[in-house]
Amino acid sequence: MISGFALAVAAPWLSRIAGKHGGNLLAMLPAVLFAYFLGLVQPVTGAGPISEITRWVPTLGVDLSFRVDGLSLIFCLLITGVGTAVIAYTGAYLASHEQLGRLQAYLLAFMASMLGLVLSDNLLALFVFWELTAFTSYLLIGFKHHEDKSRGSALQAMLVNGLGGLCLLAGVILLSNIGGNTSIVALIGQADAIRAHPHYLAALLLVLMGAFTKSAQFPFHFWLPGAMAAPSPVSAYLHSATMVKAGVYLLARLSPVLGMTPEWVGIIAPIGALTMLIGAVMAFFLTDLKQILAYTTVSMLGALVMLVGINTQESMAAAMVLLIVHSLYKGTLFLVTGSVEHGAGTREIGELGGLRRAMPLTAAIASIAALSMAGVPPMLGFISKELWYESSLQLALGGIPLVAASVVANGLGFALAGVVAYGVFFGKPAHPDPHPHDPNFAMSAGPLLLAGLGLVAGLFPGLLIEPLTGAALTAMAFDASHYHLALWHGINPAFALSLLTFALGAALYTGRERVVANLGRLAGMGRYGPKRLYELSIQKSLAYARFQTNLLQSGYLRSYVMVVVLTSVVMVGLSVTWDKVQSIVVPALDVRLHEVLLAVVILGAALMMARIGASLAAVAALGVVGYGVALMFYLFSAPDLAMTQLSVETLSVILFVLVLRSLPEAKSLSSRSTRIRDALVAATAGGLMTLFLLIVLSEPFQSRLSGYFNENSAPLANGRNVVNVILVDYRAFDTMGEITVLAVAAIGVYALLKMRKGEGGSR
Amino acid sequence: MSLLLVLPVIIPLFTAILALLCWRHINVQRGIAVVGASCLMVAAVTLLLTISDRGIQCVQVSNWQAPFGITLVADLFGAVMVVLAATSLLAVTVYSLGSVGRALEAVGYYPLIHVMVAGICGAFLTGDVFNLYVCFEVTLVSSFVLMAMGGERQQIEGAIKYVTLNLMASAIFLAAIGLLYGVAGTLNMADLATVLANEPRQTLVNSIAMLFMVGFGIKAAVFPLFFWLPASYHTPNVAITTLFAALLTKVGVYALIRFFTLIFVGDTGLTHTVLLVLAGLTMITGVLGAVAQTEFRRLLSFHIISQIGYLLLGLGLLTHFSLAAVVYFMGHVIIAKTALLLLSGVTQRISGTSELKELGGFYKESPLLSVVFLVPALSLAGIPPLSGFWAKFAVVKASLEAEQYVMVVAALAVGLFTLYYMLNVWAEVFWKDRPVDHPVVAKAPLVMWGPMVAMGILTLGISFGVDPLFQLANRAAFQLIDRQEYIRAVLGGAL
Amino acid sequence: METILAIVIGGLYGTGLYLMMRRSMVKLVLGLALLAHAANLLIFVGGRLVRGVPPLVANGAIAPPDGSADPLPQALVLTAIVIGFGVQAFLLVLLKRGYTLMRTDDLDDMRTTET
Amino acid sequence: MNSLILSTATRLLLPLMLLYSVFLLIRGHNEPGGGFVGGLVAASAIALIKFSSGLERARAALRFDPITLVGTGLLFAFASGLLPLVAGMPFLTALWWDQKIPVLLKAGTPVLFDLGVYVLVVGVVLTMIFALSEE
């Protein structure tokens, strides 16, 4: 099993080489995998799940533990089976496209991720594949990347899925924290504890966000029709068998862990039902074949979610069968749409009709699929619908709205099946196109196979479907030993509902044009839907982002300085407590007159600088400050410092003068109020610094280092000037850095002055 | 051993000196620079392996016992940072051969980048507060010069803001050191850790801690102190921006991590709560800033800021797991970011512009470039199984475990926005057709492609090698959270 | 005397910051210079003040006289002064270059990289 | 600027200043002074030539490219750090020669280090002043 998966992961690279040799060759890979999984049906249904673990990131609790049970096997078969058809189809459909190789690669990568998703027993590994499907589908949806619309749709799909993905991530982490494990099997063992945990509801909601976005549930459904920008075979793959079913898979997979609670049923089933209705109604008003299929897909996804939400053995069985049915007929119909577009050049139902004569094979395929979609016996679709009604009817009073919604949605589905098959292929040729024709073998084989399977499975449900769904039920912790599947259930309430559905469907089909014309005006309401919300939220976030960024990053250095100063004041101020301020001890004023005078001169010179601003006089004042500080150093036992400060100050004054002579006298640029405001801020900062220093100075102080320096300088370090010894010996490393700074500054001065304009050439 | 610890500082310094002495011979300088960067790489990796083998090591420069001399200490975190610095330097040096041009090379480009990295490595290894200041200044001054080097108007404007705000940071940092010495009477970090552990005057220490936080916060580009970064990072040559983006802010973050795991852990209720708040705000403002950009490198500049937020978040939580997440995150973000910036240089070279609107068509023209973009970009957006996912996953998990739900929401939302603008860049630069009025103007030389592809591959490497790397991060985090090993290594039984 | 110097230091910080919030590039540089002075003095004072006993060992003696000034802050300040000088020299040339390029000293005119 | 008095004075002052700068360098280890201040004095001596006799003369008097001096100074200081590595000691460990050399009191790597600082400072200051005067 591992080998099969490894091959699939390697597929993108293989396909790049083989890409030019046509799609059929590449379709071999999923075909082989399909056969492989088919071979697993017997062992899995007989002997139980097969699992295999490879350690991956044990540090973070992520392992590649693959597990094949009934549930995953159904998905695997669908993924590889439909995958085979789609990949073969694509090779022919886009035969002359220069990026065909890439598309095939993405398809295979997508398939591999999907397989990984359904096979993983480790929640986190599952999440990894979950996101991978999202991203590979992004690449697929944006395949026609030169079109704005494609890029927009791809982004939209990715963002909606990304949102869900992030919630799911949080949910997954939360779940594994609660359960103390990342293995789903292990979590099932802890299910009771998890359901009783205070974080249960949060975890459930987060997981549901993931599932609902992926499976296009209301109000996240809009990305799915948008994703129709992709080429038809891609749509067929993503929206029939794979991508969108991942959410359903996740719910089914986690139902033994999170399910069986009022919250589960109460949240999931209504949302599923609502989605089902909305999808069906919207589809009814559309005229583009692909869009119709997209919305019916939304509708069926809603149905699936609803059934999983009901969470009884019957509903789960119904969901499994519906899942298979839907994948088969919807995959077929998308591919057929591709063929129609390929042959007739349009997808508008108004411009299509009577294609039966030109495309007999396609017409036949479409009819079979449509019958299954309509749920007519002896198709598998009929069985699924029966099961569905049965399970809904089992619910008590609360089930009535669900049953009603189901009937309406199915009725609409019936009518739409008529639209896509009967309306297009039978009836009068609406728009005689020059060359409608049946596509070649590669393009027909796939849909034919899928449609055929639906028929065969309906006639012999016990052959494959029954053991599979049975095993899936076992995987979902139901006792499936008495489980049985049959085409004919006898005359019961479910059958009556089926008949009602047919009647409603037929009525809707015949009356469709009138209904659409009358209610068409309401279709404009779609503008206010969640899609609009998505667009608005993107727009508003962008606008806000620009606004805030322009506000903060205004380009005014002085406001940056101001913010930095205020931040420092606030942060330091936060921590300076009042009792500390009170504890300041002002030592007995041990001062000498000349020292005080010096201090006054320094301060005075500085204040003068603030008043006179930018001129040579200000530089002179700066010099006074510098020399004053040097003198202060000298007075307080630091002759080395004084000497250095003196020479450095002289040198900087010279440099200042050298530079300033080429500059004009500065004017006062700010208004008086600004100056006052700035002065207040600056004074606060300065005052805080004084306060802070005073607090520190009030404490007793003992250097832990200086005694050692004093004792050892002369005997051990051969120097009597302790400061110099520190500089060239104890802390010579600092001095090394210091002279490096000087060297760099010299290079900098040189570089800036030698560089001529236009030589930078960086932009 | 004593040699191995100083090598990360003296190799680039020596390289710089040699290059300086060959001032007029640019080709010789190029050779020296590449050889020097390679040697540093070897030394850094050896150091990391040694530390991983033997635990925290230290050396007393000038051979005076701690805390009297200056101690260089290498723990796993420091050693990892040194390796990352060496990696970026090597990539950027090679890239520079093709991207920088004679004009810059003639005024000391190579010595400067090596001096800068010497300062950075010094900062990662030093165990002395004042020496950290000196290393910061070495780094800073060389970055000033590099920033302004082209002498164009834009660069001068950017440089003025950059220089001003960073000098404020230095002044604050310096003042904080003065006050700290005035309270504790020592400069050695391990010594400070022991002294302050017994310090009764906690509120005073808190205030000093805040001062350090502001100083480092400016350097780390934390909200609301980050203005210098978006104002300047897009102005110099791409090679320079890349080196800055990879390392400069990370030195600030490193210092924050070092100080707030080793020295200031007495009152985490205040300091680390403030860090958490800053982390959240930094993430969000950064990501919103990036969303608003229409130019490649400016977008990436804001992106840096939002990523700093994640790093701070891990620090603020101050759990063993969150620190491990930070260490891994650091490696991820430096590598992926370098790859992406180098790529922005290649697209700019080919198209002659870096405005997203004026770029396009690369998906069709260059599948290789597309892959090299997607890997780091998606990684930074946190798409599994790339490195950024593991990093984000670990941070989110740590926040959930610490019950910091607001932070979880912020981190996840920021991830979504990141995804949004990364995909936007993808759509604009790659998927969209090349605008007719902005044709291809030049070819990018092989020396530019090489490092870019190599960094892309490295991103894949850290993505798939996540397990051993995260184990390493785990051990590094243990050393950070259990301060005793560090203190013992420095103060007890030193070399 | 420490108290008075603490006030001087606060004053230097205040005026330095005030100058930095002006629109003129020259004032900015002057302000930064004041900030550097303030920080240096702060470290110096933080090590406490001693009058007239520099940390020098007399010829033949083993250690400096008792009560001599703390040598470490002096060494730190010395390093800081030199570093500050290097930075300031570069800053001045940056200012000069900026003026030659833009013909203005007004920082509010330097927003082309951000708008 | 080319006044006779200034250039004559310079010619007289130059050796004195250089001597004084070396004196400062040497005594630095025991009394106030040191490489940094010494270097500044030496640099101002050369700068004086520049102001009295012009840039070319100053360059000629210096003989070396100031940038090279910067590199050399760094190299000296650096070498004083590397020497102990050869002896198996940590970087920058002070090593002292046993014999006292007259005048220099004692010779050791810290002296070499200080000498490096001296040369570097001369280089740095002159690089700046020369570059500024060439504008």
PDB file of all heavy atoms in Angstrom, chain C residues 1 3-4 13 22-23 28 31 34-35 37-38 49 51 56 59 62 67-68 71 78 80-82 87 98 104 113:
ATOM      1  N   MET C   1      25.724  65.782  44.299  1.00  0.00           N
ATOM      2  CA  MET C   1      26.073  66.170  42.916  1.00  0.00           C
ATOM      3  C   MET C   1      25.409  65.252  41.903  1.00  0.00           C
ATOM      4  O   MET C   1      25.029  65.651  40.822  1.00  0.00           O
ATOM      5  CB  MET C   1      27.595  66.101  42.758  1.00  0.00           C
ATOM      6  CG  MET C   1      28.086  66.735  41.457  1.00  0.00           C
ATOM      7  SD  MET C   1      27.588  68.464  41.332  1.00  0.00           S
ATOM      8  CE  MET C   1      27.582  68.666  39.574  1.00  0.00           C
ATOM      9  N   THR C   3      22.491  64.132  42.033  1.00  0.00           N
ATOM     10  CA  THR C   3      21.153  64.639  41.775  1.00  0.00           C
ATOM     11  C   THR C   3      21.182  65.698  40.684  1.00  0.00           C
ATOM     12  O   THR C   3      20.386  65.666  39.744  1.00  0.00           O
ATOM     13  CB  THR C   3      20.580  65.263  43.064  1.00  0.00           C
ATOM     14  OG1 THR C   3      20.885  64.388  44.140  1.00  0.00           O
ATOM     15  CG2 THR C   3      19.108  65.467  42.929  1.00  0.00           C
ATOM     16  N   ILE C   4      22.125  66.605  40.809  1.00  0.00           N
ATOM     17  CA  ILE C   4      22.208  67.673  39.808  1.00  0.00           C
ATOM     18  C   ILE C   4      22.522  67.104  38.435  1.00  0.00           C
ATOM     19  O   ILE C   4      21.904  67.451  37.428  1.00  0.00           O
ATOM     20  CB  ILE C   4      23.267  68.702  40.232  1.00  0.00           C
ATOM     21  CG1 ILE C   4      22.773  69.405  41.502  1.00  0.00           C
ATOM     22  CG2 ILE C   4      23.526  69.694  39.108  1.00  0.00           C
ATOM     23  CD1 ILE C   4      23.757  70.363  42.069  1.00  0.00           C
ATOM     24  N   TYR C  13      18.553  64.692  27.516  1.00  0.00           N
ATOM     25  CA  TYR C  13      17.627  63.805  26.796  1.00  0.00           C
ATOM     26  C   TYR C  13      16.477  64.613  26.213  1.00  0.00           C
ATOM     27  O   TYR C  13      16.123  64.485  25.045  1.00  0.00           O
ATOM     28  CB  TYR C  13      17.064  62.737  27.736  1.00  0.00           C
ATOM     29  CG  TYR C  13      17.879  61.467  27.759  1.00  0.00           C
ATOM     30  CD1 TYR C  13      18.590  61.079  28.887  1.00  0.00           C
ATOM     31  CD2 TYR C  13      17.930  60.647  26.633  1.00  0.00           C
ATOM     32  CE1 TYR C  13      19.330  59.908  28.907  1.00  0.00           C
ATOM     33  CE2 TYR C  13      18.672  59.479  26.643  1.00  0.00           C
ATOM     34  CZ  TYR C  13      19.370  59.112  27.781  1.00  0.00           C
ATOM     35  OH  TYR C  13      20.099  57.981  27.785  1.00  0.00           O
ATOM     36  N   ARG C  22      12.113  67.925  15.212  1.00  0.00           N
ATOM     37  CA  ARG C  22      11.977  69.061  14.298  1.00  0.00           C
ATOM     38  C   ARG C  22      12.043  68.560  12.855  1.00  0.00           C
ATOM     39  O   ARG C  22      12.361  67.397  12.601  1.00  0.00           O
ATOM     40  CB  ARG C  22      13.079  70.098  14.548  1.00  0.00           C
ATOM     41  CG  ARG C  22      13.241  70.446  16.013  1.00  0.00           C
ATOM     42  CD  ARG C  22      12.355  71.573  16.506  1.00  0.00           C
ATOM     43  NE  ARG C  22      10.973  71.586  16.174  1.00  0.00           N
ATOM     44  CZ  ARG C  22      10.030  70.880  16.829  1.00  0.00           C
ATOM     45  NH1 ARG C  22      10.341  70.045  17.774  1.00  0.00           N
ATOM     46  NH2 ARG C  22       8.785  70.992  16.496  1.00  0.00           N
ATOM     47  N   ARG C  23      11.798  69.449  11.930  1.00  0.00           N
ATOM     48  CA  ARG C  23      11.781  69.019  10.540  1.00  0.00           C
ATOM     49  C   ARG C  23      13.155  69.123   9.877  1.00  0.00           C
ATOM     50  O   ARG C  23      13.347  68.609   8.780  1.00  0.00           O
ATOM     51  CB  ARG C  23      10.769  69.860   9.753  1.00  0.00           C
ATOM     52  CG  ARG C  23       9.358  69.382  10.003  1.00  0.00           C
ATOM     53  CD  ARG C  23       8.350  70.373   9.530  1.00  0.00           C
ATOM     54  NE  ARG C  23       8.387  70.573   8.086  1.00  0.00           N
ATOM     55  CZ  ARG C  23       7.563  71.392   7.450  1.00  0.00           C
ATOM     56  NH1 ARG C  23       6.642  72.053   8.136  1.00  0.00           N
ATOM     57  NH2 ARG C  23       7.651  71.542   6.155  1.00  0.00           N
ATOM     58  N   LEU C  28      18.230  67.354  13.566  1.00  0.00           N
ATOM     59  CA  LEU C  28      18.177  65.935  13.882  1.00  0.00           C
ATOM     60  C   LEU C  28      19.542  65.438  14.331  1.00  0.00           C
ATOM     61  O   LEU C  28      19.694  64.759  15.356  1.00  0.00           O
ATOM     62  CB  LEU C  28      17.728  65.176  12.631  1.00  0.00           C
ATOM     63  CG  LEU C  28      17.589  63.674  12.753  1.00  0.00           C
ATOM     64  CD1 LEU C  28      16.348  63.345  13.548  1.00  0.00           C
ATOM     65  CD2 LEU C  28      17.513  63.038  11.390  1.00  0.00           C
ATOM     66  N   GLY C  31      20.466  66.813  17.634  1.00  0.00           N
ATOM     67  CA  GLY C  31      19.718  66.129  18.676  1.00  0.00           C
ATOM     68  C   GLY C  31      20.337  64.788  19.021  1.00  0.00           C
ATOM     69  O   GLY C  31      20.477  64.436  20.192  1.00  0.00           O
ATOM     70  N   LEU C  34      23.285  65.201  21.201  1.00  0.00           N
ATOM     71  CA  LEU C  34      22.934  65.433  22.599  1.00  0.00           C
ATOM     72  C   LEU C  34      22.532  64.144  23.295  1.00  0.00           C
ATOM     73  O   LEU C  34      22.888  63.893  24.445  1.00  0.00           O
ATOM     74  CB  LEU C  34      21.791  66.446  22.692  1.00  0.00           C
ATOM     75  CG  LEU C  34      22.185  67.907  22.506  1.00  0.00           C
ATOM     76  CD1 LEU C  34      20.970  68.800  22.713  1.00  0.00           C
ATOM     77  CD2 LEU C  34      23.286  68.289  23.495  1.00  0.00           C
ATOM     78  N   LEU C  35      21.804  63.310  22.551  1.00  0.00           N
ATOM     79  CA  LEU C  35      21.377  62.030  23.106  1.00  0.00           C
ATOM     80  C   LEU C  35      22.592  61.194  23.503  1.00  0.00           C
ATOM     81  O   LEU C  35      22.609  60.547  24.558  1.00  0.00           O
ATOM     82  CB  LEU C  35      20.568  61.285  22.043  1.00  0.00           C
ATOM     83  CG  LEU C  35      19.216  60.736  22.457  1.00  0.00           C
ATOM     84  CD1 LEU C  35      18.380  61.803  23.102  1.00  0.00           C
ATOM     85  CD2 LEU C  35      18.511  60.139  21.256  1.00  0.00           C
ATOM     86  N   HIS C  37      25.577  62.300  24.315  1.00  0.00           N
ATOM     87  CA  HIS C  37      26.158  62.880  25.535  1.00  0.00           C
ATOM     88  C   HIS C  37      25.389  62.427  26.754  1.00  0.00           C
ATOM     89  O   HIS C  37      25.968  62.058  27.779  1.00  0.00           O
ATOM     90  CB  HIS C  37      26.119  64.404  25.463  1.00  0.00           C
ATOM     91  CG  HIS C  37      27.203  64.987  24.612  1.00  0.00           C
ATOM     92  ND1 HIS C  37      28.526  64.617  24.720  1.00  0.00           N
ATOM     93  CD2 HIS C  37      27.162  65.917  23.624  1.00  0.00           C
ATOM     94  CE1 HIS C  37      29.241  65.294  23.842  1.00  0.00           C
ATOM     95  NE2 HIS C  37      28.437  66.085  23.160  1.00  0.00           N
ATOM     96  N   ALA C  38      24.071  62.474  26.633  1.00  0.00           N
ATOM     97  CA  ALA C  38      23.237  62.116  27.770  1.00  0.00           C
ATOM     98  C   ALA C  38      23.498  60.674  28.190  1.00  0.00           C
ATOM     99  O   ALA C  38      23.681  60.384  29.375  1.00  0.00           O
ATOM    100  CB  ALA C  38      21.765  62.311  27.410  1.00  0.00           C
ATOM    101  N   LEU C  49      29.865  58.851  41.568  1.00  0.00           N
ATOM    102  CA  LEU C  49      30.913  59.858  41.329  1.00  0.00           C
ATOM    103  C   LEU C  49      31.938  59.886  42.457  1.00  0.00           C
ATOM    104  O   LEU C  49      31.607  59.705  43.620  1.00  0.00           O
ATOM    105  CB  LEU C  49      30.265  61.236  41.221  1.00  0.00           C
ATOM    106  CG  LEU C  49      29.257  61.396  40.069  1.00  0.00           C
ATOM    107  CD1 LEU C  49      28.593  62.760  40.139  1.00  0.00           C
ATOM    108  CD2 LEU C  49      29.936  61.194  38.736  1.00  0.00           C
ATOM    109  N   ARG C  51      35.438  62.273  43.562  1.00  0.00           N
ATOM    110  CA  ARG C  51      36.224  63.450  43.183  1.00  0.00           C
ATOM    111  C   ARG C  51      37.718  63.198  43.308  1.00  0.00           C
ATOM    112  O   ARG C  51      38.184  62.725  44.334  1.00  0.00           O
ATOM    113  CB  ARG C  51      35.874  64.627  44.089  1.00  0.00           C
ATOM    114  CG  ARG C  51      34.569  65.294  43.740  1.00  0.00           C
ATOM    115  CD  ARG C  51      34.494  66.651  44.395  1.00  0.00           C
ATOM    116  NE  ARG C  51      33.162  67.194  44.207  1.00  0.00           N
ATOM    117  CZ  ARG C  51      32.132  66.880  44.987  1.00  0.00           C
ATOM    118  NH1 ARG C  51      32.279  66.053  45.987  1.00  0.00           N
ATOM    119  NH2 ARG C  51      30.953  67.420  44.751  1.00  0.00           N
ATOM    120  N   LEU C  56      44.241  55.167  38.923  1.00  0.00           N
ATOM    121  CA  LEU C  56      45.604  54.968  38.435  1.00  0.00           C
ATOM    122  C   LEU C  56      46.424  54.358  39.571  1.00  0.00           C
ATOM    123  O   LEU C  56      46.279  54.751  40.724  1.00  0.00           O
ATOM    124  CB  LEU C  56      46.234  56.301  38.041  1.00  0.00           C
ATOM    125  CG  LEU C  56      45.613  57.036  36.848  1.00  0.00           C
ATOM    126  CD1 LEU C  56      46.186  58.430  36.739  1.00  0.00           C
ATOM    127  CD2 LEU C  56      45.835  56.248  35.569  1.00  0.00           C
ATOM    128  N   ASN C  59      53.288  54.587  40.750  1.00  0.00           N
ATOM    129  CA  ASN C  59      54.468  53.799  40.418  1.00  0.00           C
ATOM    130  C   ASN C  59      54.959  53.068  41.664  1.00  0.00           C
ATOM    131  O   ASN C  59      55.230  53.667  42.682  1.00  0.00           O
ATOM    132  CB  ASN C  59      55.559  54.733  39.870  1.00  0.00           C
ATOM    133  CG  ASN C  59      56.408  53.991  38.846  1.00  0.00           C
ATOM    134  OD1 ASN C  59      56.385  52.764  38.808  1.00  0.00           O
ATOM    135  ND2 ASN C  59      57.143  54.744  38.038  1.00  0.00           N
ATOM    136  N   ILE C  62      50.581  48.651  44.256  1.00  0.00           N
ATOM    137  CA  ILE C  62      49.960  47.469  43.646  1.00  0.00           C
ATOM    138  C   ILE C  62      48.579  47.785  43.107  1.00  0.00           C
ATOM    139  O   ILE C  62      48.187  47.342  42.044  1.00  0.00           O
ATOM    140  CB  ILE C  62      49.869  46.334  44.687  1.00  0.00           C
ATOM    141  CG1 ILE C  62      51.291  45.842  44.969  1.00  0.00           C
ATOM    142  CG2 ILE C  62      49.014  45.194  44.162  1.00  0.00           C
ATOM    143  CD1 ILE C  62      51.364  44.713  45.924  1.00  0.00           C
ATOM    144  N   GLY C  67      39.215  54.209  47.639  1.00  0.00           N
ATOM    145  CA  GLY C  67      38.217  55.210  47.309  1.00  0.00           C
ATOM    146  C   GLY C  67      38.379  55.796  45.913  1.00  0.00           C
ATOM    147  O   GLY C  67      37.791  56.816  45.593  1.00  0.00           O
ATOM    148  N   SER C  68      39.182  55.152  45.083  1.00  0.00           N
ATOM    149  CA  SER C  68      39.336  55.683  43.728  1.00  0.00           C
ATOM    150  C   SER C  68      38.069  55.383  42.926  1.00  0.00           C
ATOM    151  O   SER C  68      37.257  54.531  43.297  1.00  0.00           O
ATOM    152  CB  SER C  68      40.542  55.045  43.049  1.00  0.00           C
ATOM    153  OG  SER C  68      40.314  53.672  42.870  1.00  0.00           O
ATOM    154  N   PRO C  71      36.671  52.192  37.683  1.00  0.00           N
ATOM    155  CA  PRO C  71      37.259  52.335  36.341  1.00  0.00           C
ATOM    156  C   PRO C  71      36.359  51.792  35.237  1.00  0.00           C
ATOM    157  O   PRO C  71      36.456  52.227  34.093  1.00  0.00           O
ATOM    158  CB  PRO C  71      38.536  51.503  36.440  1.00  0.00           C
ATOM    159  CG  PRO C  71      38.253  50.489  37.493  1.00  0.00           C
ATOM    160  CD  PRO C  71      37.342  51.153  38.474  1.00  0.00           C
ATOM    161  N   LEU C  78      34.260  55.454  27.477  1.00  0.00           N
ATOM    162  CA  LEU C  78      35.274  55.740  26.461  1.00  0.00           C
ATOM    163  C   LEU C  78      34.929  55.019  25.160  1.00  0.00           C
ATOM    164  O   LEU C  78      34.950  55.598  24.069  1.00  0.00           O
ATOM    165  CB  LEU C  78      36.638  55.281  26.980  1.00  0.00           C
ATOM    166  CG  LEU C  78      37.764  56.215  26.607  1.00  0.00           C
ATOM    167  CD1 LEU C  78      38.850  56.190  27.658  1.00  0.00           C
ATOM    168  CD2 LEU C  78      38.327  55.855  25.254  1.00  0.00           C
ATOM    169  N   ALA C  80      32.033  54.012  24.272  1.00  0.00           N
ATOM    170  CA  ALA C  80      30.829  54.606  23.709  1.00  0.00           C
ATOM    171  C   ALA C  80      31.111  55.928  23.014  1.00  0.00           C
ATOM    172  O   ALA C  80      30.537  56.229  21.968  1.00  0.00           O
ATOM    173  CB  ALA C  80      29.781  54.793  24.806  1.00  0.00           C
ATOM    174  N   ILE C  81      32.014  56.710  23.592  1.00  0.00           N
ATOM    175  CA  ILE C  81      32.349  58.004  22.966  1.00  0.00           C
ATOM    176  C   ILE C  81      32.920  57.779  21.571  1.00  0.00           C
ATOM    177  O   ILE C  81      32.522  58.416  20.594  1.00  0.00           O
ATOM    178  CB  ILE C  81      33.379  58.774  23.812  1.00  0.00           C
ATOM    179  CG1 ILE C  81      32.767  59.248  25.130  1.00  0.00           C
ATOM    180  CG2 ILE C  81      33.914  59.981  23.035  1.00  0.00           C
ATOM    181  CD1 ILE C  81      33.779  59.933  26.045  1.00  0.00           C
ATOM    182  N   VAL C  82      33.862  56.849  21.496  1.00  0.00           N
ATOM    183  CA  VAL C  82      34.519  56.619  20.211  1.00  0.00           C
ATOM    184  C   VAL C  82      33.527  56.102  19.183  1.00  0.00           C
ATOM    185  O   VAL C  82      33.474  56.571  18.036  1.00  0.00           O
ATOM    186  CB  VAL C  82      35.695  55.647  20.387  1.00  0.00           C
ATOM    187  CG1 VAL C  82      36.334  55.357  19.051  1.00  0.00           C
ATOM    188  CG2 VAL C  82      36.708  56.227  21.352  1.00  0.00           C
ATOM    189  N   VAL C  87      29.911  57.109  14.395  1.00  0.00           N
ATOM    190  CA  VAL C  87      28.553  57.194  13.869  1.00  0.00           C
ATOM    191  C   VAL C  87      28.220  58.616  13.465  1.00  0.00           C
ATOM    192  O   VAL C  87      27.642  58.876  12.411  1.00  0.00           O
ATOM    193  CB  VAL C  87      27.560  56.695  14.930  1.00  0.00           C
ATOM    194  CG1 VAL C  87      26.140  56.957  14.481  1.00  0.00           C
ATOM    195  CG2 VAL C  87      27.764  55.226  15.195  1.00  0.00           C
ATOM    196  N   GLY C  98      22.779  64.037   1.440  1.00  0.00           N
ATOM    197  CA  GLY C  98      21.343  64.242   1.284  1.00  0.00           C
ATOM    198  C   GLY C  98      21.041  65.638   0.772  1.00  0.00           C
ATOM    199  O   GLY C  98      20.249  65.812  -0.155  1.00  0.00           O
ATOM    200  N   THR C 104      17.423  70.201  -0.072  1.00  0.00           N
ATOM    201  CA  THR C 104      16.569  70.642   1.031  1.00  0.00           C
ATOM    202  C   THR C 104      17.059  70.010   2.314  1.00  0.00           C
ATOM    203  O   THR C 104      17.708  68.981   2.305  1.00  0.00           O
ATOM    204  CB  THR C 104      15.094  70.282   0.814  1.00  0.00           C
ATOM    205  OG1 THR C 104      14.371  70.652   1.985  1.00  0.00           O
ATOM    206  CG2 THR C 104      14.919  68.803   0.589  1.00  0.00           C
ATOM    207  N   THR C 113       9.918  57.545  -0.460  1.00  0.00           N
ATOM    208  CA  THR C 113      10.001  56.090  -0.422  1.00  0.00           C
ATOM    209  C   THR C 113       8.762  55.465   0.192  1.00  0.00           C
ATOM    210  O   THR C 113       8.589  54.268   0.158  1.00  0.00           O
ATOM    211  CB  THR C 113      11.200  55.620   0.424  1.00  0.00           C
ATOM    212  OG1 THR C 113      11.009  56.034   1.766  1.00  0.00           O
ATOM    213  CG2 THR C 113      12.490  56.164  -0.101  1.00  0.00           C
TER     214      THR C 113
END
